[in-house]
Amino acid sequence: LAKTTQPISMDSYEGQEVNITCSHNNIATNDYITWYQQFPSQGPRFIIQGYKTKVTNEVASLFIPADRKSSTLSLPRVSLSDTAVYYCLVGDKYSGAGSYQLTFGKGTKLSVIP
Amino acid sequence: DTEVTQTPKHLVMGMTNKKSLKCEQHMGHRAMYWYKQKAKKPPELMFVYSYEKLSINESVPSRFSPECPNSSLLNLHLHALQPEDSALYLCASSQALKWGQGSPGYTFGSGTRLTVV
C-alpha cells in the first residue's frame, strides 16, 4: 500500500477555507484516494474519494494533480464542528471475496478556533 | 438504513469476565470488519469477514473471538482480556466489490469503548 504523509496538526479560524495536503509518492495505478473524518470517540466517517482531477461533494472537494503523487482535501468555510482528525488513505488491500482492508496513517488533527 | 449500530457503547470488564460486542447493519453489505483504536492512534484492522466467512485475522490473540452469525450481524467475543486491551473497538461494513472495481467506502459504527480492569 502507498505510504501517505500528512501534517500532524493544523489550526484554522472559523469561516476560513482549510486545505489539507497528503503526499503519496508511490501511489499505484489502480489506487483510489479516500479521506475520512473522525470525531473523538466516534468511528471514522467517509468524506470523499477520487481517482484523478477534482471531485466535489456537499462536504468537501478533493484536488488530485495529474501525477497523482499528492492530493488536497479542501473544506470550505470551516466551523467549530469541523474540529476532527482527517485521514488520507491511498489504495486498500484486497482481502478476497469482495472485501478490502483499510490501512490508516496518523492523520491530521484539525482544530478550528472561534 | 445507512448506519452501523454497535452495542454496548461502553463496557467495563474484569480480566476473568466473558463479554461480547455486537455490530449490526442493514445496508446489504457483505463485507464486515473489526478495528481496534487506542487513544490518539489510528484504527488498526483486527478481522475481516466476507460473505459471513472469516477472510483475514491480523494475528489477533485468541482471547478475541469473532463471529458472523448472518449477513447483518457481527460479534466479537471477549475472554480473559488484559488491561492493555482497553480501547475503542470499531465495526465497519462495505459493499463487496470485485478487485479492480474501485474502492468501496466503509461505513463505521460509533464504536464500543472497552475498559479492562
Side-chain angles (χ1 to χ4, degrees):
Chain A
L1 291 175
K3 180 175 162 49
T4 59
T5 303
Q6 305 174 234
I8 296 296
S9 64
M10 294 180 69
D11 292 337
S12 176
Y13 288 102
E14 274 193 294
Q16 289 189 330
E17 178 184 73
V18 170
N19 295 312
I20 306 174
T21 297
C22 179
S23 173
H24 30 80
N25 290 322
N26 58 339
I27 186 170
T29 303
N30 293 328
D31 287 343
Y32 281 73
I33 300 158
T34 312
W35 286 79
Y36 285 82
Q37 172 194 56
Q38 187 176 26
F39 299 115
S41 296
Q42 291 190 27
R45 181 175 78 109
F46 174 92
I47 302 177
I48 197 166
Q49 183 180 88
Y51 184 78
K52 61 180 179 181
T53 62
K54 177 184 174 182
V55 180
T56 298
N57 62 23
E58 64 278 6
V59 176
S61 295
L62 179 60
F63 298 91
I64 305 168
D67 66 6
R68 303 200 330 122
K69 292 185 184 301
S70 67
S71 58
T72 299
L73 174 73
S74 181
L75 304 172
R77 298 179 299 282
V78 294
S79 64
L80 295 176
S81 62
D82 293 315
T83 294
V85 177
Y86 291 82
Y87 293 101
C88 164
L89 287 80
V90 173
D92 35 33
K93 185 177 177 181
Y94 188 68
S95 46
S99 64
Y100 289 78
Q101 301 171 233
L102 294 182
T103 301
F104 287 83
K106 295 180 180 178
T108 297
K109 182 173 182 179
L110 173 66
S111 298
V112 179
I113 306 164
Chain B
D1 188 350
T2 58
E3 289 186 344
V4 171
T5 303
Q6 289 188 245
T7 54
K9 292 194 182 304
H10 301 275
L11 178 63
V12 179
M13 61 184 290
M15 289 187 284
T16 59
N17 291 161
K18 285 185 181 181
K19 296 287 184 183
S20 296
L21 309 184
K22 181 179 174 181
C23 173
E24 192 167 3
Q25 58 90 12
H26 297 286
M27 293 177 282
H29 290 173
R30 301 306 295 273
M32 296 186 75
Y33 312 81
W34 281 114
Y35 282 77
K36 173 182 177 179
Q37 186 173 27
K38 302 281 281 184
K40 300 188 187 303
K41 298 289 186 182
E44 294 181 340
L45 182 68
M46 300 176 71
F47 301 105
V48 177
Y49 271 85
S50 184
Y51 293 92
E52 296 87 70
K53 293 190 188 309
L54 181 66
S55 60
I56 295 288
N57 174 342
E58 288 287 351
S59 303
V60 179
S62 59
R63 57 186 184 268
F64 295 91
S65 176
E67 178 197 19
C68 190
N70 60 55
S71 60
S72 300
L73 285 176
L74 187 65
N75 298 320
L76 186 62
H77 303 298
L78 314 172
H79 174 54
L81 295 192
Q82 303 297 312
E84 58 265 28
D85 296 321
S86 298
L88 182 68
Y89 288 84
L90 295 163
C91 175
S93 70
S94 72
Q95 291 181 358
L97 297 180
K98 294 179 182 178
W99 186 86
Q101 281 188 306
S103 181
Y106 273 38
T107 301
F108 281 86
S110 295
T112 294
R113 174 72 61 189
L114 174 68
T115 303
V116 182
V117 297

